[in-house]
Amino acid sequence: MRWLVGWCGAAASAARDIQPLGALPLWEGPDPLWAVGDWRPDEIRLVHADGDTRLAIFGYCGADDAQVRRSLVSARAGALRQLTTWPGSYTVVARFGRRTVVPTDLAGTRPVFHTPWAGGTAYATAALPLADLTEAQLDIDHLASLLACPDAPEATGTGTPYRGVSRVPPGHALMLRQDSRTTVDYEPPVPTVVAAPPVEREEAIAGVREALVEAVRTRLAAPRHAPERDPGPVPGMGPADRRAARGEPAPGVGADLSGGSASATLALLAAGLPGMPGTVYGTGATAAGERLLAVTFNDLTADRPPASLIRAAEMERARAIAENPRLHHVVVTGAEEALPYAGLDTGVLTDEPGPSLVLAARHRHRLSAGSADHLTGHGARQVLDAHPARLADLLLDRRRRHLVRPVTALAKASRGGGRSALTVPFTVYRAARRLARTPYPEGISAAATLLRQTADTPVNGGALGASLAALTWLRPGPAARWLTGETLAGVSLRLEAVAARPRSGPAAGRPGEQRARAVLARHAADYRVFEQAVEVRHQRLHAPFYDNQVVRACQALPESLRVQPGARAEVLRAVLTGAGVRELPPGWGATSQVAHAEAVRSGLRAHLGDLLDLFDAPLLADAGLIEARTVRKALRSAAHGEPLPLDGLAELVSTEVWLRRLLTRRGSCWTAEGHRDPRAVTSGVSP
């Protein structure tokens, strides 16, 4: 895990006696900054503007030093947004004398955490090191809120699983002075009273294309450094190490062809950019014209229709796309060892829990055949698709005619589901109108009431049920039905307290915009957990759809376009057409949710015994969050095909696995000279 850490205003004696283990100091003095982990040399850049103004950039940033200096001068005057407008994905730390500014990204894949320490403030891009520093205990109430309402910032707030360690919300910046800390919104929402004129469809799609091309170009153009060669095989050795050990050139940039239309779009954009896709710049080790490595995952466990038919169609599309002469196609087959819920007893400890932990072994199996820099399509669904609550936003704008196609598509999808196709449009319209007319405090209060009744709520299957459930200001998460009554009551009280506060800031926004931001933040946080859980040595994953400039470009898409069926595939197809890619295989853009759900259920069946053992004496039950017997019953029922929310079970399993890994951890992220080392965080739940 790679992270950076520093502090501002801490007592000189404490700051002098303690340091992070294995850290690279970037600047010293009373407010030091360190980089910790296996950072590449090209992933850290220090820029000095003038006097006591300087900047540290971590990650991949497409701006040159002159652009950075100009933006730094503007940020010193208060324009913090200027530090977040460059192509790429990065974290910046700006120093203006004794004032430090650390902005987050808009999605939340590059978070910032902070905690009071030694009379000042310690901050980091990971929460666990700060918990080690302050010997923080686990925050069980936060874990309860995360399981009950994972998409609701109203429930989780700015907390973390560690008491006293806070998270800076996405789109905000942490401002530190010697004796104070504040969090400011560097990207305030556009006022709805005087709304800007809507961007035209073609112009908005062109903006998405330009942002994606620049995001991919930033990854391709960055100077890369070959890893040190290892003379012999080492367990866990990544693709770059293995090829270096054999004396082969270090790999360059690759992408997925089996991750859906988003990842395939990135692969085609990377292959079509001028230059040499996949070339490792700056090493001289790669021959000119090396092709971009395109990886397809062939899940051999999907042997029953309709999942098998979907898998076969996906393979055919991948082979057709891979005929591009600038792509080198690699097919990775997966069987029992690549099922969901495999390898739960051998994974690594991540900074926080996340549902992607149950898929870590599956994705690590696929990524082990990838390149040293691997492009993924994560985040495309959240930044391009419209949240169902945006239907209420259209009603607020008096654009009822744009609801016709979405509700018609839901009517077609609900055929055979026990509901007349003639009544579906009216049902959806009434739900959207009810949401548009419901004030925010009333919506949160209704969610608090619903949370206390979650155990008796039936599962709404299909696209229609999911859409109707999402047409609310707030709804319980899929794991809430298995939490104890006391846990749900505690989260409900927290929501009622939020509803009683005066409306201000984001809470006063439109329901669709607000819920879309919350869902994006939640998925971005889980992607960060995913990155840590599937990490392969010397490999970097890149998710350009989470980049600030891509998120901004997607936010400019008209709502009337985003709510239409197939809007994501339509936008991506237009992006590729504008980039010169006009021939796509039939069926391109089809979703694979059915195949994924079948794989998850197969994983449940294959690993049911291990999962039942996991919940024989679970830590979640010791903390009072669940009843072990209830969860074991749900696991058996889901494995035998009962229609239960599988993503809710994944959240419970992931949290239990994360707690066990945390409690078996030994050591700390810090070393202290002349004092005892701070103990690692292992308290808060009885072992």
Side-chain angles (χ1 to χ4, degrees), residues 3-8 27 31-34 58 92-95 100-102 112-117 120-126 129-130 133 166 168 174 176 670:
W3 45 283
L4 61 95
V5 62
W7 48 67
C8 184
W27 56 59
D31 303 325
L33 177 68
W34 294 276
F58 302 84
V92 299
V93 180
R95 280 280 299 273
T100 302
V101 177
V102 192
V112 177
F113 305 90
H114 60 93
T115 185
W117 181 71
T121 301
Y123 63 92
T125 56
L130 297 184
L133 180 66
S166 301
V168 179
L174 178 66
L176 302 173
W670 300 85

Side-chain angles (χ1 to χ4, degrees), residues 204-227:
I205 293 178
V208 175
R209 181 180 66 250
E210 293 173 4
L212 280 175
V213 168
E214 284 301 316
V216 174
R217 180 180 287 118
T218 297
R219 271 78 172 187
L220 290 176
R224 309 194 186 281
H225 300 261

